[in-house]
Amino acid sequence: MSRRVRFLFSIAAAIAAASLLAASLRRRAQPPRLPDQLVPGPMAARNRSFVLWLHGLGDSGPANEPIRTFFAAPEFRHTKWAFPSAPNSPVSCNNGAVMPSWFDIHELPLSPGSPQDESGVLKAVENVHAMIDREVAGGIHPDNIFVCGFSQGGALTLASVLLYPKTLGGGAVFSGWVPFGSSVIERISPEARKTPILWSHGIADQVVLFEAGQAGPPFLQSAGISCEFKAYPDLGHSIAKEELSSLEAWIKGRLKASQDKQS
């Protein structure tokens, strides 16, 4: 098999996985129960929360919106959700074909030693920070802001929370990887080092290899950052319902702690 065919096969597998994820979420989701409208006023602003979800390569924000139907607990009544779409960009591992992509990916499957598009990642981080800044300016406390992402979106989630100057409620990485080298550690502020990370990865992942996910916690520990790592046997490059249930409980606990601290 030629290198070009291997590239096209790999990226096709990644896009297929993203499409299956979106279809699976639509099948599992009950009729959408949208969050209540945000109520203006100082008390509502203090108790509001914000979840930003970043999709994977070749996917879109709207295709991931059914995810929020898994978060039906009362703690999410005043949660604002955002599912932005990545810009269309040429992707190296697809021979330069244009598709929704937060930054460039040089090869698939991704392993701990894969080359990284660090400059592209940092540019994408600026856009994510602008989204977070708008919510903070609108009255949402940083402790109540959570950034989550799958695959390429998971890698961008990690970069965004580590480089944000304030402590956020948390960052949740699903089937992601560390998208830059250790030189970035010196750029992580003391406040950002307090942001907790939840990392979930399927052991059977053949797109972002499990070893790439395993490299995350040691990287974070070297920066003094807390990380809860969860491995899912037999799970490939997709998100399981169990992962979303774990995320719901994880965010709920941090929302309660944040609100107790602010009251």
Side-chain angles (χ1 to χ4, degrees), residues 61-257:
N64 286 262
E65 288 186 11
I67 285 172
R68 67 179 174 180
T69 63
F70 287 86
F71 296 76
E75 288 84 354
F76 295 95
R77 280 192 310 151
H78 298 295
T79 296
K80 179 179 179 180
W81 292 79
F83 295 86
S85 293
N88 289 321
S89 306
V91 179
S92 293
C93 67
N94 194 24
N95 236 26
V98 175
M99 60 175 50
S101 181
W102 300 109
F103 51 85
D104 197 15
I105 295 178
H106 295 285
E107 67 178 25
L108 288 177
L110 274 152
S111 67
S114 292
Q116 305 289 356
D117 174 24
E118 192 165 309
S119 62
V121 170
L122 296 178
K123 182 177 179 181
V125 164
E126 291 178 1
N127 294 329
V128 174
H129 286 181
M131 295 183 231
I132 297 173
D133 288 341
R134 282 195 295 271
E135 301 307 321
V136 173
I140 298 180
H141 196 282
D143 283 353
N144 295 336
I145 293 178
F146 299 84
V147 185
C148 313
F150 172 73
S151 191
Q152 187 189 44
L156 179 55
T157 290
L158 183 68
S160 299
V161 299
L162 294 186
L163 296 175
Y164 195 70
K166 299 177 182 178
T167 304
L168 297 176
V173 178
F174 295 90
S175 303
W177 68 94
V178 179
F180 37 48
S182 58
S183 62
V184 172
I185 290 179
E186 64 187 24
R187 298 179 53 180
I188 304 174
S189 72
E191 291 303 310
R193 293 172 195 259
K194 300 175 187 176
T195 299
I197 305 293
L198 173 66
W199 197 308
S200 304
H201 212 112
I203 294 177
D205 195 331
Q206 296 299 308
V207 179
V208 179
L209 300 181
F210 182 67
E211 291 77 10
Q214 278 185 310
F219 175 88
L220 294 169
Q221 288 168 9
S222 69
I225 297 168
S226 171
C227 177
E228 180 181 348
F229 186 85
K230 292 180 174 289
Y232 291 82
D234 303 319
L235 179 64
H237 196 62
S238 62
I239 295 182
K241 182 179 179 181
E242 292 76 16
E243 289 181 288
L244 294 177
S245 296
S246 177
L247 176 63
E248 182 190 34
W250 189 76
I251 293 179
K252 277 171 56 178
R254 277 150 185 78
L255 283 174
K256 184 178 186 305

